[in-house]
């Protein structure tokens, strides 16, 4: 339909008015939506707002803090609680009874004095060693011990060990070490070395019971190694088997379970033992070392299995990752002193937001600077202290040490000279410190040395 000029103008005005009305309504809706979004974000911020976790040391750590300060310690140190260690020793020995024998894992307790203490408490002379440079030290410092290697070593490493001591001692030390062998090629290289050095080496064979970290997989493969040993009695002596089952506690629920995984591991172990006894009775006699177990699984072993040798070390001090040891007590802590303290989060380039950040997270109200840091460990005392995710470095990267900053609640009464306590994830953390501060009832009773040989 044709419109006149006037009608067209009138129509355009009405259309413009409708458009303006629509735009106005859209703006109102947009304001409403923005307001709703802001309200939701504010509500989420309030709901997610961290609680103030600050507070004083508990009685236990307050005592240790006072002891360290009173003794003039002003550097990072690792602290060992002998009372708690004794408790853990009693727990281990309540499970590991004859015919089972306890073997101390040296790498988990890397201190001669600590090893001597545990050996005396448990009445054992059995050691599990892992690092070639430590072997000579263990033999010289611990006396008449039996050392079972926890992993196979290269022949070049074995050769280095023998060359580190007078040749007149080679025969004696060969009777105190069980070299772990995991394959036929390695056994053949070991045999060649023994012939060259005119030695008789004690051989323990590793079997794979499910960990998939090496070892013979079938009884038939074990038979080939036993045949080599039986054929070379002048240079090789069979001393037993080792089947480590560290995978058992980590069995995924969909695929397995710890109880099922343990039974499968033991069934595998039994199958290898039965094969050896049936086909090589001359080797499977006498006092063999049939080793298994670890700090997380030692309570599972009883005398009705062929295993007679249980190795464990970390359970004696219960690091933070060993949560399954319900009846054990943490006995090892890292203590680092505060060297500086400032108010606010102290995040570079975000000074303008200090107040907002501290309001949202009250555990960032203050900043403390530690002597050292970077340890693979969990903060345990006092409460309300946290690692700053923006300014912190990666674990085990700041060990010389330098300084690290942590945030704390204003309710956490820490000052310069006070200690922040960490629970190490692994007991091997001892190795990162030259000295162990040994406590009993909040008194320093000894200062032990960690292994001095580094790698």
């Amino acid at each position: 339909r044709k419109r006149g000029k006037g009608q067209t103008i009138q129509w355009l005005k009405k259309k413009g008015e409708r458009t303006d009305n629509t735009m106005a309504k859209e703006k109102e809706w947009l304001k409403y939506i923005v307001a709703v979004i802001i309200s939701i974000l504010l509500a989420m911020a309030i709901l997610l707002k961290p609680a103030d976790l600050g507070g004083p040391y508990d009685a236990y750590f307050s005592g240790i803090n006072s002891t360290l300060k009173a003794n003039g310690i002003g550097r990072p140190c690792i602290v060992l609680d002998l009372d708690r260690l004794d408790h853990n020793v009693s727990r281990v020995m309540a499970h590991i009874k004859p015919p089972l024998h306890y073997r101390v894992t040296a790498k988990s307790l890397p201190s001669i004095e600590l090893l001597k203490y545990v050996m005396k408490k448990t009445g054992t002379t059995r050691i599990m060693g892992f690092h070639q440079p430590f072997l000579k030290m263990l033999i010289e410092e611990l006396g008449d011990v039996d050392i079972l290697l926890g992993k196979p070593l290269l022949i070049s490493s074995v050769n280095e060990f023998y060359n580190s001591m007078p040749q007149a001692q080679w025969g004696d030390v060969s009777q105190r070490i069980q070299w772990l062998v995991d394959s036929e090629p390695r056994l053949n290289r070991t045999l060649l070395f023994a012939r060259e050095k005119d030695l008789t080496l004690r051989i323990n064979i590793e079997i794979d019971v499910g960990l998939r970290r090496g070892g013979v997989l079938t009884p038939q493969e074990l038979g080939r190694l036993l045949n080599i040993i039986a054929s070379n009695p002048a240079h090789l002596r069979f001393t037993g088997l080792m089947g480590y089952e560290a995978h058992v506690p980590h069995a995924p629920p969909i695929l397995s379970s710890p109880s099922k995984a343990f039974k499968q591991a033991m069934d595998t172990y039994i199958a290898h033992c039965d094969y050896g006894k049936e086909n090589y009775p001359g080797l499977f006699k006498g006092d063999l070392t049939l080793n298994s177990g670890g700090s997380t699984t030692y309570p599972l072993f009883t005398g009705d299995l062929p295993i007679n040798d249980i190795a464990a070390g970390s359970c004696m001090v219960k690091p933070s990752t060993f949560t399954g040891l319900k009846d054990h007590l943490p006995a090892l802590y890292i203590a680092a002193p505060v060297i500086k303290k400032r108010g606010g989060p102290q995040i570079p380039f975000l000074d303008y937001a200090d107040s907002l950040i501290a309001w949202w997270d009250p555990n960032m109200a203050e900043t403390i600077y530690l002597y050292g840091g970077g340890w693979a460990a969990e903060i345990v005392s006092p409460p309300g202290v946290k690692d700053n995710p923006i300014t912190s470095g990666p674990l085990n990267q700041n060990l010389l040490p330098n300084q690290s900053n942590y945030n704390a609640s204003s309710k956490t009464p820490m000052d310069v000279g006070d200690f922040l306590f960490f629970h190490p994830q692994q007991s091997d953390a001892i190795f990162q410190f030259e000295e162990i501060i040994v406590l009993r009832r909040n008194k320093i009773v000894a200062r032990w040395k960690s292994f001095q040989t580094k790698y």
Side-chain angles (χ1 to χ4, degrees):
R1 181 184 300 178
K2 292 183 180 180
R3 293 191 181 96
K5 184 176 181 181
Q7 290 176 318
T8 300
I9 293 172
Q10 189 68 23
W11 178 80
L12 290 172
K13 283 182 179 180
K14 290 181 179 180
K15 184 176 182 182
E17 290 174 358
R18 288 195 298 269
T19 302
D20 290 341
N21 291 335
T22 301
M23 291 180 64
K25 290 179 180 180
E26 290 177 347
K27 287 181 180 179
E28 289 298 322
W29 272 104
L30 183 60
K31 289 179 181 179
Y32 175 76
I33 292 171
V34 170
V36 170
I37 292 174
I38 292 174
S39 298
I40 292 173
L41 291 175
L42 286 173
M44 290 178 63
I46 293 172
L47 289 173
L48 298 176
K49 187 178 185 299
D52 191 336
L53 302 176
Y57 295 99
D58 62 20
Y60 179 75
F61 286 105
S62 177
I64 299 177
N65 185 55
S66 297
T67 297
L68 297 179
K69 292 167 66 176
N71 283 270
I73 296 174
R75 54 178 170 74
C77 59
I78 197 156
V79 175
L80 176 66
D81 186 328
L82 279 189
D83 296 307
R84 292 189 172 194
L85 174 60
D86 289 348
H87 169 85
N88 296 336
V89 168
S90 68
R91 293 295 84 215
V92 173
M93 299 315 295
H95 286 282
I96 302 179
K97 299 177 180 179
L100 300 176
H101 301 282
Y102 171 60
R103 185 176 297 272
V104 190
T105 305
K107 85 173 192 66
S108 301
L109 304 173
S111 162
I112 291 297
E113 292 94 339
L114 177 54
L115 287 173
K116 286 181 177 178
Y117 185 89
V118 172
M119 289 171 66
K120 183 178 180 179
K121 283 282 183 178
T122 59
T124 190
T125 57
R126 300 179 181 221
I127 300 289
M128 179 169 281
F130 287 83
H131 189 35
Q132 175 259 312
F134 295 162
L135 296 181
K136 182 172 182 287
M137 173 183 63
L138 293 174
I139 288 175
E140 292 176 345
E141 298 289 342
L142 298 181
D144 187 18
V145 293
D146 175 82
I147 300 175
L148 170 63
L149 268 294
K151 66 185 178 191
L153 298 183
L154 298 172
I155 287 299
S156 57
S157 188
V158 177
N159 184 61
E160 187 177 4
F161 164 72
Y162 278 98
N163 288 338
S164 69
M165 61 187 65
Q167 187 171 352
Q169 298 178 12
W170 288 5
D172 177 60
V173 299
S174 294
Q175 299 309 307
R176 298 165 71 183
I177 297 179
Q178 299 184 52
W179 300 100
L180 191 67
V181 171
D182 63 330
S183 66
E184 188 175 354
R186 193 183 305 276
L187 182 58
N188 284 326
R189 287 192 291 269
T190 303
L191 173 60
L192 181 60
F193 173 83
R195 285 173 176 167
E196 291 174 349
K197 300 293 186 182
D198 193 24
L199 296 169
T200 302
L201 300 182
R202 302 167 75 214
I203 304 299
N204 193 292
I205 299 177
E206 181 179 13
I207 58 177
D208 189 340
V209 296
L211 183 58
R212 303 296 180 256
R213 200 170 67 179
V216 298
L217 286 166
T218 65
Q220 290 70 33
E221 187 180 355
L222 171 64
R224 292 195 293 271
L225 274 67
L226 293 174
N227 187 61
I228 293 172
I229 295 173
S231 302
N232 294 276
H235 297 294
L236 301 177
R237 176 185 160 200
F238 178 65
T239 59
L241 303 173
M242 186 189 82
Y244 189 32
E245 32 51 85
H247 62 291
V248 165
H250 309 287
I254 297 177
L255 302 176
S256 185
S257 68
S259 59
K260 183 178 179 181
F262 183 73
K263 183 179 184 306
Q264 290 174 336
M266 293 303 101
D267 287 346
T268 301
Y269 206 122
I270 292 169
H272 284 77
C273 282
D274 288 347
Y275 180 89
K277 291 176 181 178
E278 180 179 348
N279 294 278
Y280 296 88
L283 297 180
F284 275 77
K285 64 181 182 179
D287 188 19
L288 295 180
T289 297
L290 301 175
N291 175 267
S292 190
S295 284
T296 58
T297 59
Y298 80 85
L300 300 176
F301 290 88
T302 58
D304 59 350
L305 293 167
I307 289 89
N308 59 17
D309 189 86
I310 307 297
S314 295
C315 58
M316 294 300 185
V317 294
K318 193 183 179 182
S320 67
T321 53
F322 287 69
T323 55
L325 299 173
K326 301 298 184 183
D327 57 350
H328 287 240
L329 296 174
L332 192 71
Y333 296 101
I334 296 170
V338 177
I339 57 175
K340 292 181 286 187
K341 182 178 180 180
R342 301 178 73 176
Q346 299 297 322
I347 302 174
F349 309 112
L350 291 179
D351 304 88
Y352 64 89
D354 272 5
S355 298
L356 178 61
I357 294 172
W359 167 82
W360 187 75
D361 187 352
N363 304 296
M364 297 182 72
E366 295 181 342
T367 299
I368 58 174
Y369 300 83
L370 297 186
Y371 187 151
W375 302 288
E378 322 300 337
I379 300 170
V380 290
S381 189
V385 181
K386 61 191 294 184
D387 191 8
N388 190 309
I390 298 176
T391 59
S392 64
L395 297 179
N396 284 326
Q397 296 295 312
N398 186 21
L399 301 176
L400 280 179
N402 190 358
Q403 59 181 323
S404 299
N405 62 313
Y406 291 77
N407 293 123
S409 164
S410 59
K411 295 181 180 180
T412 300
M414 289 190 76
D415 210 337
V416 173
D418 285 320
F419 285 81
L420 182 62
F421 293 94
F422 300 82
H423 191 190
Q425 295 176 0
Q426 299 289 334
S427 57
D428 309 40
I430 292 172
F431 196 59
Q432 297 172 355
F433 296 83
E434 294 181 359
E435 186 178 65
I436 307 167
I437 306 298
V438 184
L439 301 176
R440 191 180 288 284
R441 297 177 184 85
N442 277 336
K443 292 183 179 180
I444 298 177
V445 295
R447 294 173 184 250
W448 292 343
K449 296 292 184 183
S450 64
F451 287 175
Q452 298 301 296
T453 302
K454 308 298 179 182
Y455 61 92

